[in-house]
Amino acid sequence: ISINGLAQVKHVVLVLSGKGGVGKSTITTELALALVHAGKKVGILDVDLCGPSIPRMLSVGKPEVHQCDAGWVPVYADPQQKLAIMSIGFLLEDSDEAVIWRGPKKTALIGQFVSDVAWGELDILLVDTPPGTSDEHLAVLENLRKHRVDGAVLVTTPQAVSTGDVRREITFCKKTAVKILGIVENMSGFVCPHCSECSNVFSKGGGEELAKLTGSVFLGSVPLDPLLTATLEEGRDFLQAFPESSTYTAISQIVNTVLSSLDA
Amino acid sequence: MADVPNDAPEHCPGTSSDQAGKSSACQGCPNQNICASGAAKAPDPAIEEIRQKLTSVKHKILVLSGKGGVGKSTFSAHLSHALASDDSKEIALLDVDICGPSIPKIMGLEGEQVHQSGSGWSPVYVEDNLAVMSIGFLLSSPDDAVIWRGPKKNGMIKQFLRDVDWGEVDYLIVDTPPGTSDEHLSIVQYLSGAGIDGAVIITTPQEVSLQDVRKEIRFCKKVKIPVIGVIENMSGFVCPKCKNTSQIFPPTTGGAQRMCEELNLPLLGRVPLDPRIGRSCDEGRSFLTEVPDSPAAVAYQNIVQICHRRKVSVH
């Protein structure tokens, strides 16, 4: 019997950025939660081996990863098993333990994460990645070659130092034939909770400009929202906690656009 | 032997890897027998070459974080500017973020190219006493992606240390990408002869950052790099209109302060969020000269002073 973890996964979407700290894991988490609320079965594959953020954001601490006949059983974030996760975070005895691996070892584990996890039936598998265009990214794509990668969502912040790296990620996608589903501009303005003045903490407009420059779809902007950061810190569901917020609206619009492009 | 020889196959694990000569990718490689016999794992002669080359460099400081986007490159650039404000000092800034080199833009050096001479590669000078090297200077277009696996990145870092003609330098500042992987191991390995004075660790206040930064600190202990201290960046935002402070990245688990207390490390300082920092970086100018009176600039200058004093008494 060949293990084919992704056999019943309908869509695979990568979440990429050339730049670190722009909100890839945040956007992956919020997209996943929004999709679950929309009735989908979702998986998150976290291939950031040095800095895995997904377990904490979804409050799944350090459960044990079990094996079954079909491979590794993913960890479920919810009792209804609508949100499955695999991350190296679950395999570390000590959460402060550093994973000090060179490329080939990272490549090998990512291969196992893609092929040997019993994802079961999923509507969408989101793949959260570390910044860059290196071993992890190549490993994910090589191992997904047997399956269809629907495309990638690219995350940037507005400033040029970020978009400068994301341009390179766009080149990576073009070279590896990964369709770009669109660009999300995160940390797009901060509205002061005291006086409602909007400050462009990380500059303004870069995401939309980048989309225009590269002929990509602009999926939308997500504001810099301390409530979002705080709920992620606590591993709570932001969308359930703050459905009236403009951040919620922004995320919902992005999810709808991504879903339409997947069904198209 | 080179870490990835020219005739190696695509998935070459690297000649110094445990898998050298033994991995499935090694089948058919002309170097397979040499690697499998362990001969390729003799100490890399480059380590001694680099030791000799860097005898003219007095101090070497790494800027690290486990986490991306916390301000490593911003700090590296501004530490370099601050140190170079003393005309009697020679400062060098080396960017080993191979996939996402930010230093050229932040230093206002986009579009510059590296020149070769008899004595090696010439770094790019932003001031008479401030030299910079980055892979960014070797790329011909801002869209060029460096899609390299670990072994090839390692080879580039070796060249940066061995082949760049740095000359007499008081401080070599090394900016790194996030993580604890090839780039970090290579910097430590190739500088094992020349020595590293210490590392400055950058974080932001929230636990999502701190959990990665603790791993970086473990890495430093494991490879015996002294930690000069920790900087908490993006520490609060003062609204320019109403002057109230918001914790955009909240220190839900006590921020860098508590982490430093727990790990017995110095907290070098806290830098607030200031939109003018991002703008200066985008425009390639030093915000220390653009807005010298801003709380962020003052915080940075204090931190630089402390780094200066601490470099000889590290943990």
Side-chain angles (χ1 to χ4, degrees):
Chain A
I1 300 169
S2 70
I3 295 173
N4 195 347
L6 296 177
Q8 295 170 291
V9 172
K10 291 205 191 91
H11 298 289
V12 177
V13 174
L14 309 183
V15 181
L16 302 172
S17 181
K19 186 84 183 69
V22 295
K24 290 177 288 308
S25 299
T26 298
I27 295 295
T28 303
T29 299
E30 299 311 316
L31 287 184
L33 291 170
L35 290 164
V36 167
H37 293 316
K40 306 288 182 198
K41 285 193 83 174
V42 184
I44 299 179
L45 171 55
D46 175 9
V47 299
D48 189 342
L49 303 184
C50 294
S53 303
I54 296 288
R56 187 180 180 92
M57 290 182 173
L58 285 162
S59 205
V60 278
K62 213 168 41 74
E64 284 178 20
V65 172
H66 302 285
Q67 292 246 348
C68 69
D69 286 342
W72 294 2
V73 180
V75 171
Y76 289 95
D78 59 320
Q80 300 82 17
Q81 301 200 337
K82 299 286 188 196
L83 180 46
I85 310 166
M86 183 50 70
S87 168
I88 200 176
F90 303 140
L91 305 177
L92 299 172
E93 281 292 312
D94 172 1
S95 54
D96 292 341
E97 190 183 320
V99 173
I100 310 171
W101 292 356
R102 290 194 185 268
K105 212 165 163 181
K106 293 195 280 188
T107 296
L109 184 64
I110 290 170
Q112 285 190 274
F113 275 176
V114 173
S115 310
D116 299 349
V117 170
W119 293 104
E121 261 185 52
L122 291 180
D123 293 295
I124 299 183
L125 177 66
L126 298 170
V127 184
D128 186 26
T129 61
T133 50
S134 190
D135 296 271
E136 295 87 335
H137 314 84
L138 291 166
V140 160
L141 288 179
E142 270 166 14
N143 284 284
L144 286 172
R145 228 184 261 148
K146 297 193 279 289
H147 312 273
R148 205 177 43 147
V149 173
D150 291 71
V153 169
L154 272 75
V155 184
T156 187
T157 54
Q159 71 211 105
V161 164
S162 288
T163 57
D165 283 348
V166 180
R167 282 175 79 163
R168 305 189 201 279
E169 199 77 16
I170 290 172
T171 302
F172 171 83
C173 290
K174 291 192 165 128
K175 280 197 157 150
T176 52
V178 172
K179 180 179 172 195
I180 295 171
L181 299 175
I183 294 175
V184 171
E185 183 184 273
N186 196 20
M187 306 198 197
S188 195
F190 170 68
V191 176
C192 176
H194 303 276
C195 70
S196 299
E197 168 88 352
C198 181
S199 293
N200 292 314
V201 180
F202 298 114
S203 204
K204 184 182 154 93
E208 218 167 340
E209 272 166 38
L210 179 65
K212 254 192 226 126
L213 178 71
T214 55
S216 315
V217 170
F218 183 61
L219 292 170
S221 313
V222 179
L224 190 49
D225 187 341
L227 294 174
L228 176 58
T229 333
T231 51
L232 287 164
E233 286 279 282
E234 296 155 21
R236 287 193 297 134
D237 184 338
F238 172 83
L239 302 173
Q240 282 197 325
F242 301 102
E244 309 294 311
S245 62
S246 54
T247 306
Y248 177 97
T249 311
I251 292 169
S252 304
Q253 281 172 355
I254 292 167
V255 168
N256 290 337
T257 312
V258 170
L259 277 177
S260 320
S261 63
L262 291 179
D263 292 333
Chain B
M1 198 192 299
D3 204 31
V4 176
N6 288 336
D7 50 1
E10 202 208 326
H11 288 267
C12 167
T15 54
S16 49
S17 142
D18 291 338
Q19 288 300 304
K22 300 177 192 151
S23 108
S24 54
C26 300
Q27 299 296 328
C29 173
N31 306 303
Q32 184 178 18
N33 287 336
I34 301 174
C35 286
S37 71
K41 279 172 76 173
D44 193 328
I47 295 173
E48 174 58 22
E49 289 169 351
I50 290 166
R51 189 196 66 75
Q52 286 180 14
K53 187 81 180 220
L54 297 185
T55 47
S56 58
V57 175
K58 291 207 187 87
H59 299 291
K60 302 165 216 75
I61 297 177
L62 306 189
V63 180
L64 301 173
S65 181
K67 187 81 183 70
V70 295
K72 290 177 289 309
S73 299
T74 302
F75 177 72
S76 300
H78 289 85
L79 175 63
S80 303
H81 276 303
L83 292 170
S85 63
D86 178 351
D87 284 338
S88 69
K89 298 277 187 261
E90 292 289 328
I91 311 300
L93 174 57
L94 171 59
D95 176 10
V96 300
D97 189 339
I98 307 288
C99 295
S102 304
I103 292 293
K105 180 179 279 296
I106 296 176
M107 299 300 281
L109 296 173
E110 275 194 312
E112 295 285 339
Q113 298 278 293
V114 163
H115 303 284
Q116 285 224 337
S117 73
S119 44
W121 294 1
S122 300
V124 178
Y125 283 84
V126 65
E127 313 273 352
D128 287 339
N129 66 337
L130 177 44
V132 182
M133 179 55 72
S134 166
I135 201 173
F137 302 138
L138 303 173
L139 302 172
S140 42
S141 151
D143 294 311
D144 280 350
V146 180
I147 309 171
W148 290 357
R149 292 180 193 273
K152 213 163 163 184
K153 292 194 283 187
N154 301 336
M156 184 86 261
I157 290 171
K158 175 165 43 178
Q159 283 194 274
F160 278 163
L161 291 169
R162 188 190 57 196
D163 300 342
V164 171
D165 188 18
W166 295 109
E168 297 285 330
V169 169
D170 292 281
Y171 287 94
L172 171 64
I173 310 296
V174 184
D175 184 31
T176 63
T180 50
S181 189
D182 287 275
E183 296 87 336
H184 314 86
L185 286 166
S186 292
I187 271 286
V188 168
Q189 182 194 1
Y190 290 128
L191 288 177
S192 55
I196 295 171
D197 290 61
V200 174
I201 312 269
I202 316 283
T203 186
T204 49
Q206 76 270 41
E207 178 59 26
V208 159
S209 289
L210 296 172
Q211 75 180 0
D212 287 351
V213 169
R214 288 193 199 94
K215 295 178 206 273
E216 197 76 17
I217 291 170
R218 283 277 179 97
F219 168 80
C220 288
K221 288 195 152 64
K222 218 168 187 172
V223 297
K224 300 191 178 39
I225 299 176
V227 175
I228 297 171
V230 177
I231 296 170
E232 185 182 88
N233 201 13
M234 307 196 197
S235 195
F237 175 68
V238 177
C239 175
K241 189 171 175 202
C242 69
K243 311 294 181 203
N244 280 296
T245 302
S246 294
Q247 294 293 340
I248 296 182
F249 300 112
T252 58
T253 56
Q257 169 133 9
R258 192 185 299 170
M259 182 186 73
C260 286
E261 282 162 13
E262 283 165 1
L263 299 177
N264 195 25
L265 290 173
L267 179 62
L268 299 173
R270 289 191 191 88
V271 183
L273 266 170
D274 186 330
R276 295 170 293 185
I277 300 177
R279 201 156 49 225
S280 297
C281 288
D282 278 359
E283 293 167 6
R285 296 202 284 256
S286 165
F287 78 85
L288 299 176
T289 42
E290 294 283 291
V291 274
D293 301 325
S294 66
V298 171
Y300 254 75
Q301 293 287 13
N302 286 338
I303 288 168
V304 169
Q305 289 309 311
I306 295 173
C307 281
H308 225 290
R309 291 198 302 264
R310 288 205 77 92
K311 69 182 186 312
V312 290
S313 59
V314 289
H315 293 245

